[in-house]
Amino acid sequence: MSFDRRTALRGMAIAGLAATALPGTAAAASGLEFHLRHQFRPFDLIAPGFVQHDAPARPGAVTIDNRPVAPFCAVTTRSSGAVAAGLVGEGTSVLGRYENGTTTIEVRTGGATTVVASAAAELSEGAGFAVVVNENAVTVLADTGAGWQPLLTNRDGVRALIDLRDPNVLRELSYGYENAQDRVRAGYYGQAGVRDPHVVQYADGRPYIRDNKLYLTLTNAGMGFFQQAHWGVWTLDLADPTRLTQVAQLFFARDGVVLGDHAGQIVVDGDEFVLAMSSWGDFDFAGVHVRYTRTRANVLKGTHVLPTKRMPLPTTVSSWDPALTRIDGQWHVAFVESPAQSPAFVFHPALARGRTLESLAPVGADLTLDQTEGTIIQRLQGKWRVLTSDGDARVYRVYDLTMRPQGTLNAPYGTNIPHPMVFQHRDRYWMVTFDGTQFVEPVLGYGTHGDFIVMTDS
């Protein structure tokens, strides 16, 4: 996709700035001062813990007796000089192939095979070979000794012939390969990077922590734009914050397809989980909205495909980045309001509240801003606040529960629009966020960010 969201987000080239005061606001919303502790890049073609097949390669063309329930998966192996891998079925297949100095992506439907994309490549025997499916985008990668690198990717050509989001199509496809060498692994896709962290919390705002591990959701960046990303649940070991582990894969059924909607929050409400997410899974510049569902299924582990419905937010424009907390018997929902996504993105923070999620009324919004997202509701030193990230001013803004400005957070502000996911554990405040570091952007385009960043106030 030729669109680069950063052309619409001003000031993203500025990195590493500390939060500073703007005219008319306090220099800081509290006495907290956050410092960078860790920065690293989670990267897995197949998510550890979600491998569905791992066995020695067999000769010839092989169909594996496993399949994904969502079109977010990968097959990895080693090249024997000519190799193919992907999803196969009776008369239907979606494969990445390497042979005679050329890599291709081919789709077979109705007994006819169409090569939808090709590129020159040179793979020696024994080189790593992988095919990743993210929604309808198929990417071929190779590892010649310096880590996985994409050779070729295509979405539009694949989608013109088949819709992998359709559960009727997907249930007829299994993992498969041809002429593989060494071992073959297949399973649910991991991530090229992570973003949009949001702590799993109880309805009253307390973070969900088990065995000193914080549960949080992250957007798992795919090999491309927003539709190629999906949602995952992770744990962060608070004794060793470099240990970030995915424990659940979350996908959503709506409008007859299975999507990777993401950028939201999970709330533990009694014996139910409330999940709210943004409809980025089928974004085509015609609007975004917040969806939600309630379930008793344990969404903090395993793989799930959940039906959702639109959250009745009190807005007539697009919305995303929902944050939910029940305060004094009322649900407070912070979110991003966006009157435009084309030709430029315009978005600002807003807040609603109501006795139920179905009876929300507007509280307020900051209409003076137009590049502000990553809304979070959090208690800072005993006071409830709405936090948000201002990509223009390069600061984390703070509001009270009437959406009156209360200053900014004193914390480093990196690239992209990093979300201010602050939480308290014992006597320390933490912030987890992300940056805009891409993965091989010249091939894959915008959307493969970012690094995971951990800060603390002491």
Side-chain angles (χ1 to χ4, degrees):
M1 180 175 292
S2 61
F3 172 79
D4 184 336
R5 188 183 182 206
R6 289 168 304 169
T7 64
L9 306 182
R10 298 187 295 274
M12 277 192 172
I14 303 172
L17 298 180
T20 56
L22 298 182
T25 67
S30 68
L32 301 176
E33 182 178 353
F34 289 94
H35 302 276
L36 178 65
R37 301 302 182 194
H38 305 282
Q39 180 170 348
F40 56 95
R41 181 74 167 207
F43 183 96
D44 292 289
L45 297 187
I46 301 176
F50 295 89
V51 177
Q52 294 176 277
H53 175 86
D54 186 352
R58 291 180 281 158
V62 177
T63 298
I64 299 169
D65 293 331
N66 287 301
R67 66 176 185 86
V69 297
F72 293 85
C73 56
V75 182
T76 66
T77 186
R78 291 192 178 277
S79 170
S80 60
V83 63
L87 297 173
V88 299
E90 188 68 33
T92 303
S93 64
V94 178
L95 294 172
R97 184 181 299 276
Y98 172 77
E99 189 172 7
N100 297 327
T102 301
T103 184
T104 59
I105 295 170
E106 61 182 48
V107 177
R108 183 174 179 82
T109 58
T113 300
T114 303
V115 174
V116 300
S118 64
E122 289 296 336
L123 295 187
S124 60
E125 184 170 341
F129 181 83
V131 177
V132 167
V133 173
N134 296 139
E135 191 242 17
N136 280 308
V138 177
T139 304
V140 181
L141 303 97
D143 184 354
T144 59
W148 291 109
Q149 295 294 310
L151 302 176
L152 181 65
T153 190
N154 184 273
R155 179 175 182 260
D156 293 343
V158 173
R159 176 63 189 91
L161 297 169
I162 193 170
D163 190 353
L164 297 173
R165 307 171 307 165
D166 184 338
N168 295 316
V169 171
L170 198 60
R171 69 171 55 99
E172 299 300 322
L173 297 173
S174 300
Y175 299 111
Y177 60 90
E178 299 175 16
N179 303 320
Q181 183 173 290
D182 195 16
R183 300 190 70 82
V184 176
R185 302 174 74 247
Y188 288 101
Y189 172 72
Q191 68 291 323
V194 294
R195 57 182 181 265
D196 310 330
H198 210 132
V199 168
V200 177
Q201 65 171 62
Y202 294 97
D204 63 7
R206 290 174 295 136
Y208 189 90
I209 298 172
R210 290 290 184 273
D211 299 323
N212 209 40
K213 293 180 180 179
L214 173 79
Y215 283 73
L216 70 160
T217 57
L218 291 167
T219 297
N220 292 17
M223 299 285 164
F225 196 50
F226 296 169
Q227 308 96 325
Q228 279 72 73
H230 76 284
W231 217 22
V233 182
W234 299 67
T235 61
L236 180 68
D237 190 337
L238 297 177
D240 180 4
T242 63
R243 295 182 62 186
L244 184 67
T245 304
Q246 187 171 0
V247 294
Q249 300 267 9
L250 301 180
F251 307 102
F252 303 99
R254 62 180 174 91
D255 301 324
V257 294
V258 177
L259 299 168
D261 289 337
H262 50 264
Q265 184 188 21
I266 296 177
V267 174
V268 182
D269 187 20
D271 60 354
E272 290 185 319
F273 293 94
V274 181
L275 293 82
M277 71 296 298
S278 312
S279 68
W280 292 115
D282 61 355
F283 178 64
D284 61 359
F285 299 92
V288 190
H289 64 277
V290 172
R291 301 187 68 83
Y292 76 119
T293 189
R294 285 180 175 269
T295 181
R296 286 185 169 85
N298 184 2
V299 295
L300 302 186
K301 66 178 182 179
T303 301
H304 302 265
V305 177
L306 302 169
T308 63
K309 58 185 177 181
R310 187 167 186 150
M311 181 177 287
L313 292 173
T315 181
T316 60
V317 299
S318 284
S319 57
W320 63 81
D321 288 355
L324 292 66
T325 303
R326 188 187 290 123
I327 303 170
D328 297 330
Q330 289 193 313
W331 282 107
H332 288 64
V333 181
F335 60 99
V336 170
E337 256 186 339
S338 174
Q341 300 89 51
S342 180
F345 274 71
V346 176
F347 45 99
H348 57 255
L351 181 68
R353 68 168 174 250
R355 290 290 176 183
T356 69
L357 294 177
E358 294 72 34
S359 61
L360 296 169
V363 173
D366 190 343
L367 303 180
T368 68
L369 306 174
D370 63 9
Q371 300 291 303
T372 311
E373 64 183 358
T375 43
I376 305 290
I377 297 176
Q378 190 54 264
R379 190 192 293 268
L380 294 181
Q381 297 180 318
K383 297 179 180 179
W384 285 109
R385 300 300 191 205
V386 175
L387 313 178
T388 190
S389 182
D390 185 340
D392 272 345
R394 317 306 294 166
V395 297
Y396 306 105
R397 295 190 175 276
V398 181
Y399 301 85
D400 65 15
L401 292 186
T402 67
M403 288 302 291
R404 290 180 297 191
Q406 301 296 307
T408 63
L409 289 179
N410 189 353
Y413 198 105
T415 52
N416 205 270
I417 305 182
H419 296 185
M421 185 60 255
V422 175
F423 66 97
Q424 185 176 10
H425 178 52
R426 297 173 181 161
D427 59 349
R428 169 179 284 188
Y429 281 91
W430 299 66
M431 182 192 294
V432 290
T433 189
F434 64 100
D435 75 355
T437 304
Q438 302 288 321
F439 173 64
V440 195
E441 188 174 6
V443 177
L444 300 175
Y446 177 77
T448 60
H449 54 297
D451 285 3
F452 186 73
I453 295 169
V454 180
M455 300 183 234
T456 65
D457 71 323
S458 61

